Amino acid sequence: MRSMNVFKKVRNNYVIWHANRIQLQEFPSSPVVRKQIVFSGRVQKVGFRLEIYTIAERMRLTGTVTNLKDGSVEVEVQGEEQQISFLVHCMKSLKRASVKKVTMSDLPIHESEKDFTIVK
């Protein structure tokens, strides 16, 4: 059990390092939207939620990210549309995961939401 915790810590440190190296660009101002995004494929047990969380925090997006029982990852994310598209692009191009399918739908905006959280 101890070696698993060491592995997880090393992986998490790598994920945070990787997510912080992504060059964020200047985005033209776009409307604030809220999206539900489901990533399917090999997206669990590879630091996918932590990567999303770290990038979302850097871009000041709000919402949640959750592992689903079927092996996919669900994100509810709120922010400017261009930023959300950039986040999706980053996750689709992630080498240690294998995103096979992305489904996206519009959600109502949560005016009072201030943070991005990983749901355990």
Side-chain angles (χ1 to χ4, degrees):
M1 190 65 175
R2 181 165 156 70
S3 64
M4 190 60 152
N5 289 336
V6 169
F7 169 75
K8 203 170 184 178
K9 189 174 184 177
V10 168
R11 183 199 65 200
N12 289 351
N13 286 339
Y14 170 78
V15 168
I16 292 166
W17 172 83
H18 182 269
N20 282 326
R21 289 194 59 214
I22 293 171
Q23 283 294 125
L24 299 182
Q25 55 199 47
E26 289 294 319
F27 299 98
S29 188
S30 60
V32 172
V33 296
R34 185 176 188 85
K35 301 277 185 184
Q36 176 195 46
I37 308 163
V38 178
F39 293 93
S40 302
R42 187 172 51 84
V43 293
Q44 289 190 13
K45 301 198 184 319
V46 293
F48 203 81
R49 289 180 303 160
L50 183 57
E51 184 99 14
I52 289 173
Y53 169 82
T54 305
I55 296 168
E57 282 279 295
R58 288 183 63 204
M59 291 195 298
R60 294 183 179 85
L61 301 173
T62 63
T64 60
V65 60
T66 312
N67 279 344
L68 299 179
K69 286 184 167 67
D70 69 358
S72 58
V73 172
E74 177 187 61
V75 183
E76 278 196 20
V77 62
Q78 183 168 297
E80 291 190 12
E81 199 155 10
Q82 298 267 338
Q83 293 175 307
I84 293 172
S85 294
F86 180 79
L87 175 66
V88 170
H89 170 75
C90 288
M91 299 316 294
K92 284 170 65 175
S93 62
L94 195 61
K95 298 285 188 250
R96 68 180 176 282
S98 177
V99 176
K100 299 288 188 217
K101 183 178 171 192
V102 177
T103 55
M104 203 174 326
S105 55
D106 296 324
L107 295 172
I109 291 175
H110 293 192
E111 295 291 343
S112 61
E113 188 173 66
K114 302 285 184 237
D115 299 314
F116 196 93
T117 56
I118 297 174
V119 178
K120 299 281 183 194

